[in-house]
Amino acid sequence: MTELIAPIRFARSDGGAVEWVRAECQQPYLESVAAMEARAAAIADGAAGELVWLLEHPPLYTAGVSARPSDLIAPNRFPVFEAGRGGQFTYHGPGQRVAYIMLDLRARGHDVRAFVRALEAWLIAALARLGVAAETRCGRIGVWVTRTTPAGPREDKIAAIGVKLRRWVSFHGISLNIAPDLSHFDGIVPCGISEHGVTSLKDLGLEIPTAQVDLALASSFEEVFGPIAHGQRPVTD
């Protein structure tokens, strides 16, 4: 069943801007997680501002706190990391835009459910800008598209969400499939869902540069979460 997402605003109560940083090359996973957790701790301490970090990882699998060992079908195909976020197994790799979201929910109403719905609304709005009609599904996290096939309608996942909060500051975030090798998802049961597939912008027939996707993400983020300030310094050294 389709779950309708009404227009959502999840901006800071003080109207402050979120730093927006885009990595220009692939980022190693463990170093990225360490940097993300350090920044989230600094935000919680009041020593740093909120941050959205856009990046790409080399091919790897991550296991959320609800991951089932049986859902790791090919454990030796790519490195596997315990992510500590919510959710189950997911894949990250080239052609996928990952966004690590470090927001202070103390300034945004202390509402975790509203935060997740805001992430969904953000992705749906960004995909609409790129010409893709995406939706949520009741009982299924993430963002989905419905496709017409000779066998009838089919639902495929185009974006995943997996977040964690510590001291009311979020980290981890979302992944949007631009043009990854979709066969790489075959080594896991993505997010524990075996009855539906995975798709990407390229798989839907859309050859869209990552820079254009990032512009759509930035514009839609501002609609939902409030203003951004483009950062110049890398998150990691």
Side-chain angles (χ1 to χ4, degrees):
M1 179 184 298
T2 300
E3 184 179 13
L4 297 178
I5 295 288
I8 290 174
R9 282 286 289 174
F10 200 70
R12 289 181 61 92
S13 56
D14 61 6
V18 178
E19 186 179 5
W20 187 271
V21 175
R22 180 177 183 267
E24 297 297 334
C25 57
Q26 287 185 10
Q27 301 293 305
Y29 184 75
L30 291 178
E31 290 86 342
S32 299
V33 170
M36 173 179 59
E37 292 192 346
R39 179 62 174 255
I43 294 169
D45 290 337
E50 295 178 312
L51 171 68
V52 172
W53 184 19
L54 304 180
L55 51 82
E56 183 179 87
H57 287 306
L60 57 92
Y61 297 130
T62 68
V65 295
S66 301
R68 297 185 293 261
S70 59
D71 286 346
L72 181 58
I73 298 170
N76 299 317
R77 186 171 186 182
F78 299 123
V80 181
F81 298 96
E82 298 288 337
R85 54 160 173 79
Q88 302 185 43
F89 278 105
T90 194
Y91 165 78
H92 293 317
Q96 183 188 72
R97 176 50 89 212
V98 172
Y100 288 136
I101 316 298
M102 288 152 271
L103 299 184
D104 188 349
L105 269 63
R106 297 169 299 187
R108 297 172 184 268
H110 292 83
D111 192 331
V112 178
R113 181 172 295 181
F115 173 51
V116 173
R117 291 181 66 82
L119 292 173
E120 293 171 337
W122 166 40
L123 288 165
I124 288 170
L127 286 163
R129 279 183 155 86
L130 299 169
V132 175
E135 302 166 319
T136 57
R137 291 291 184 269
C138 292
R140 282 189 250 148
I141 197 72
V143 174
W144 302 77
V145 297
T146 301
R147 312 178 66 179
T148 301
T149 73
R154 188 181 83 195
E155 296 178 4
D156 288 338
K157 193 171 192 175
I158 194 167
I161 297 173
V163 294
K164 184 173 181 177
L165 268 69
R166 184 178 295 150
R167 297 163 62 195
W168 286 103
V169 175
S170 69
F171 51 108
H172 294 286
I174 64 96
S175 58
L176 172 62
N177 296 330
I178 301 173
D181 184 338
L182 293 179
S183 72
H184 290 180
F185 286 88
D186 295 343
I188 57 172
V189 178
C191 301
I193 299 173
S194 58
E195 62 269 30
H196 300 286
V198 178
T199 191
S200 66
L201 294 174
K202 183 176 181 179
D203 188 48
L204 295 173
L206 299 172
E207 298 278 355
I208 301 178
T210 299
Q212 185 177 339
V213 173
D214 290 347
L215 287 174
L217 287 169
S219 297
S220 298
F221 185 92
E222 290 193 300
E223 291 178 352
V224 176
F225 293 96
I228 63 176
H230 291 277
Q232 301 299 320
R233 297 174 59 185
V235 178
T236 56
D237 293 331

